[in-house]
Amino acid sequence: MRKAIIAGNWKMNKTPAEAKALVEALKPLVKEASCDVVVCVPAVDIATAKAAAKGSNIKVGAQNVHFAKSGAYTGELSADMLKEAGAEYVIIGHSERRQYFGETDATVNQRVLAAVNAGLKVILCVGEKLEERNAGYTDALVEYQTLIALTGLDKKQVEKIVIAYEPVWAIGTGVTATDEQANETIGVIRAALARKYGKGTANKVRIQYGGSMKPSNVKGLMAQPEIDGGLIGGASLKAEDFAAVVNYDK
Ligand code: PEP
């Protein structure tokens, strides 16, 4: 049995003061959650969010990490920096990073290795664009993105990676993949993991769905056997909405 994991991706929203207020509002609302609860916040909010979450079941994550340990990379943040600031998780390879910041499968892989080596838990994002789905490339693409990103990890390390299947056409658009589409593509990812790392490992990896997941559609998605949680953008910015997603089984 895989424990579900629901993570918020705040993107470029919330100042430190707003982050404190949101985490404090969230704490009582998610305290009975049966899943792991994570908020992935802007880097400047990590320490504040961590302090606000103290004594609760809310874990804090970052939204990106650089692959070098340190050095001349103006504006970037290393895995050690994020960890020391209070991050336990980090999102890597989000489609907005790929689309707007030139992230490639190769640099995603480097970032995954850096994060794992520093002891951060990775939420690895993969997913196809609409034209790729329409052309019939979804399965090949998510398989390729996943296996490249994990290159260099051993089975034990792969087991601990959280994968977020996020069809790009469903992110921030209000359009959700159907429950069956999401389940099917996540099944494709798990089958690829099984071929490369064995069934035992593949069955331990938690694979989330992400893309306009919200209180009104979370139950149907979470009822699918392959879906182990969600990565939530827009609906993670209001305590009541995010709590309603986290408490999908209540
Ligand atoms: C995301 O940013 O990962 C995401 C899924 O966003 P939204 O829920 O707003 O579609």
Side-chain angles (χ1 to χ4, degrees), residues 9 11 94 96 166 170-174 210-213 231-235:
N9 173 16
K11 311 195 188 200
H94 191 280
E96 287 153 16
E166 299 207 301
I171 296 179
T173 58
S212 299
M213 201 179 197
L231 184 57
I232 322 296

Side-chain angles (χ1 to χ4, degrees), residues 130-150:
L130 189 57
E131 59 270 27
E132 292 163 340
R133 174 165 283 268
N134 290 341
Y137 296 147
T138 300
D139 295 2
L141 196 106
V142 295
E143 176 167 348
Y144 177 84
Q145 286 178 334
T146 304
L147 295 182
I148 294 277
L150 301 179

Side-chain angles (χ1 to χ4, degrees), residues 70-85:
S70 62
Y73 299 101
T74 302
E76 294 293 325
L77 297 166
S78 73
D80 289 340
M81 290 171 184
L82 297 173
K83 200 162 176 229
E84 199 170 317

